[in-house]
Short mmCIF file of all heavy atoms in Angstrom, two decimals:
data_model
loop_
_atom_site.label_atom_id
_atom_site.label_comp_id
_atom_site.label_asym_id
_atom_site.label_seq_id
_atom_site.Cartn_x
_atom_site.Cartn_y
_atom_site.Cartn_z
N LEU A 736 0.68 -1.20 -0.02
CA LEU A 736 0.03 0.01 -0.02
C LEU A 736 0.76 1.26 -0.09
O LEU A 736 0.49 2.12 -0.84
CB LEU A 736 -0.97 0.01 1.07
CG LEU A 736 -2.41 -0.42 0.89
CD1 LEU A 736 -3.15 -0.32 2.23
CD2 LEU A 736 -3.04 0.32 -0.18
N PRO A 737 1.85 1.34 0.91
CA PRO A 737 2.63 2.67 0.87
C PRO A 737 3.17 3.03 -0.49
O PRO A 737 3.17 4.17 -0.85
CB PRO A 737 3.66 2.39 2.02
CG PRO A 737 3.00 1.48 2.87
CD PRO A 737 2.18 0.51 1.98
N LEU A 738 3.74 2.02 -1.10
CA LEU A 738 4.32 2.15 -2.36
C LEU A 738 3.39 2.58 -3.34
O LEU A 738 3.56 3.50 -4.25
CB LEU A 738 5.04 0.83 -2.90
CG LEU A 738 5.80 0.94 -4.21
CD1 LEU A 738 7.00 1.90 -4.20
CD2 LEU A 738 6.43 -0.39 -4.62
N ALA A 739 2.18 1.86 -3.34
CA ALA A 739 1.14 2.19 -4.41
C ALA A 739 0.68 3.66 -4.19
O ALA A 739 0.53 4.47 -5.09
CB ALA A 739 0.02 1.29 -4.25
N VAL A 740 0.31 4.05 -2.93
CA VAL A 740 -0.21 5.40 -2.72
C VAL A 740 0.93 6.47 -2.95
O VAL A 740 0.70 7.44 -3.46
CB VAL A 740 -0.65 5.45 -1.19
CG1 VAL A 740 -1.03 6.94 -0.93
CG2 VAL A 740 -1.76 4.57 -1.08
N GLY A 741 2.14 6.06 -2.82
CA GLY A 741 3.38 6.91 -3.12
C GLY A 741 3.43 7.21 -4.56
O GLY A 741 3.68 8.30 -4.91
N ALA A 742 3.16 6.22 -5.41
CA ALA A 742 3.29 6.32 -6.80
C ALA A 742 1.95 7.25 -7.18
O ALA A 742 2.29 8.10 -8.18
CB ALA A 742 3.15 5.04 -7.61
N LEU A 743 0.83 7.08 -6.76
CA LEU A 743 -0.29 7.91 -7.08
C LEU A 743 0.05 9.40 -6.54
O LEU A 743 -0.34 10.35 -7.23
CB LEU A 743 -1.42 7.45 -6.41
CG LEU A 743 -2.15 6.11 -7.12
CD1 LEU A 743 -3.30 5.59 -6.33
CD2 LEU A 743 -2.62 6.48 -8.40
N GLY A 744 0.61 9.57 -5.36
CA GLY A 744 0.89 10.74 -4.87
C GLY A 744 1.92 11.56 -5.72
O GLY A 744 1.88 12.70 -5.93
N ALA A 745 2.95 10.86 -6.23
CA ALA A 745 3.83 11.49 -7.24
C ALA A 745 3.24 12.03 -8.53
O ALA A 745 3.33 13.07 -9.00
CB ALA A 745 4.98 10.47 -7.57
N GLU A 746 2.08 11.23 -8.89
CA GLU A 746 1.27 11.75 -10.05
C GLU A 746 0.49 12.92 -9.62
O GLU A 746 0.58 14.07 -10.32
CB GLU A 746 0.38 10.74 -10.52
CG GLU A 746 -0.36 10.92 -11.77
CD GLU A 746 -1.09 9.89 -12.35
OE1 GLU A 746 -0.88 8.63 -11.81
OE2 GLU A 746 -1.78 9.99 -13.31
N LEU A 747 -0.14 12.94 -8.50
CA LEU A 747 -0.95 13.97 -8.01
C LEU A 747 -0.04 15.36 -7.67
O LEU A 747 -0.51 16.37 -8.02
CB LEU A 747 -1.77 13.70 -6.64
CG LEU A 747 -2.85 12.59 -6.87
CD1 LEU A 747 -3.37 12.19 -5.49
CD2 LEU A 747 -3.90 13.04 -7.81
N PHE A 748 0.91 15.08 -7.00
CA PHE A 748 1.86 16.26 -6.64
C PHE A 748 2.80 16.70 -7.60
O PHE A 748 3.79 17.35 -7.38
CB PHE A 748 2.55 15.97 -5.31
CG PHE A 748 1.57 16.03 -4.17
CD1 PHE A 748 0.95 14.81 -3.68
CD2 PHE A 748 1.34 17.26 -3.41
CE1 PHE A 748 0.18 14.87 -2.74
CE2 PHE A 748 0.48 17.23 -2.48
CZ PHE A 748 -0.14 16.05 -1.99
N GLY A 749 2.61 16.22 -8.93
CA GLY A 749 3.49 16.56 -9.99
C GLY A 749 2.75 17.19 -11.38
O GLY A 749 3.19 17.26 -12.21
N GLU A 750 1.43 17.28 -11.05
CA GLU A 750 0.56 17.72 -12.19
C GLU A 750 1.04 19.10 -12.59
O GLU A 750 1.12 20.04 -11.97
CB GLU A 750 -0.84 17.65 -11.73
CG GLU A 750 -1.80 18.05 -12.85
CD GLU A 750 -3.30 17.85 -12.40
OE1 GLU A 750 -3.65 16.94 -11.92
OE2 GLU A 750 -4.12 18.83 -12.65
N VAL A 751 1.17 19.14 -14.00
CA VAL A 751 1.50 20.37 -14.64
C VAL A 751 0.32 21.03 -15.45
O VAL A 751 0.10 22.21 -15.37
CB VAL A 751 2.71 20.17 -15.52
CG1 VAL A 751 3.11 21.42 -16.34
CG2 VAL A 751 3.93 19.65 -14.77
N VAL A 752 -0.36 20.19 -16.23
CA VAL A 752 -1.54 20.70 -16.99
C VAL A 752 -2.66 19.74 -16.79
O VAL A 752 -2.58 18.56 -16.36
CB VAL A 752 -1.24 20.74 -18.43
CG1 VAL A 752 0.09 21.68 -18.73
CG2 VAL A 752 -1.03 19.44 -19.19
N ALA A 753 -3.84 20.15 -16.95
CA ALA A 753 -5.04 19.36 -16.88
C ALA A 753 -5.90 19.55 -18.12
O ALA A 753 -5.55 20.27 -19.06
CB ALA A 753 -5.90 19.97 -15.66
N ASP A 754 -6.90 18.65 -18.25
CA ASP A 754 -7.80 18.57 -19.45
C ASP A 754 -7.10 18.53 -20.74
O ASP A 754 -7.51 19.34 -21.66
CB ASP A 754 -8.72 19.95 -19.36
CG ASP A 754 -9.56 20.06 -18.06
OD1 ASP A 754 -9.95 18.98 -17.57
OD2 ASP A 754 -9.63 21.23 -17.59
N ALA A 755 -6.16 17.80 -20.83
CA ALA A 755 -5.41 17.54 -22.05
C ALA A 755 -6.21 16.73 -23.03
O ALA A 755 -6.78 15.74 -22.72
CB ALA A 755 -4.03 16.87 -21.94
N ARG A 756 -6.32 17.28 -24.29
CA ARG A 756 -7.01 16.61 -25.33
C ARG A 756 -6.22 16.59 -26.64
O ARG A 756 -5.65 17.68 -26.94
CB ARG A 756 -8.38 17.24 -25.49
CG ARG A 756 -9.41 16.55 -26.48
CD ARG A 756 -10.75 17.28 -26.51
NE ARG A 756 -11.62 16.86 -25.37
CZ ARG A 756 -12.35 15.80 -25.36
NH1 ARG A 756 -12.43 14.93 -26.45
NH2 ARG A 756 -13.12 15.42 -24.32
N VAL A 757 -6.46 15.52 -27.45
CA VAL A 757 -5.74 15.44 -28.70
C VAL A 757 -6.77 15.37 -29.77
O VAL A 757 -7.91 14.68 -29.60
CB VAL A 757 -4.79 14.20 -28.83
CG1 VAL A 757 -4.37 14.00 -30.12
CG2 VAL A 757 -3.68 14.39 -27.84
N TYR A 758 -6.73 16.15 -30.84
CA TYR A 758 -7.57 16.21 -31.93
C TYR A 758 -6.79 15.68 -33.28
O TYR A 758 -5.71 16.05 -33.54
CB TYR A 758 -8.04 17.57 -32.29
CG TYR A 758 -8.78 18.28 -31.15
CD1 TYR A 758 -8.00 18.80 -30.05
CD2 TYR A 758 -10.17 18.32 -31.03
CE1 TYR A 758 -8.69 19.46 -29.05
CE2 TYR A 758 -10.80 18.84 -29.87
CZ TYR A 758 -10.04 19.50 -28.96
OH TYR A 758 -10.73 20.11 -27.85
N VAL A 759 -7.44 14.83 -33.92
CA VAL A 759 -6.82 14.23 -35.20
C VAL A 759 -7.72 14.34 -36.40
O VAL A 759 -9.02 13.85 -36.38
CB VAL A 759 -6.45 12.71 -35.06
CG1 VAL A 759 -5.80 12.11 -36.36
CG2 VAL A 759 -5.46 12.56 -33.89
N LEU A 760 -7.38 15.06 -37.39
CA LEU A 760 -8.19 15.25 -38.64
C LEU A 760 -7.38 14.32 -39.77
O LEU A 760 -6.41 14.66 -40.22
CB LEU A 760 -8.12 16.69 -39.06
CG LEU A 760 -8.97 17.04 -40.38
CD1 LEU A 760 -10.40 16.53 -40.30
CD2 LEU A 760 -8.81 18.44 -40.82
#
């Protein structure tokens, strides 16, 4: 558990941008 929550924490506390979307024509 500590390792798993730590990995999720690294993602949460490292967020740079939100709502990323890719468009392909």
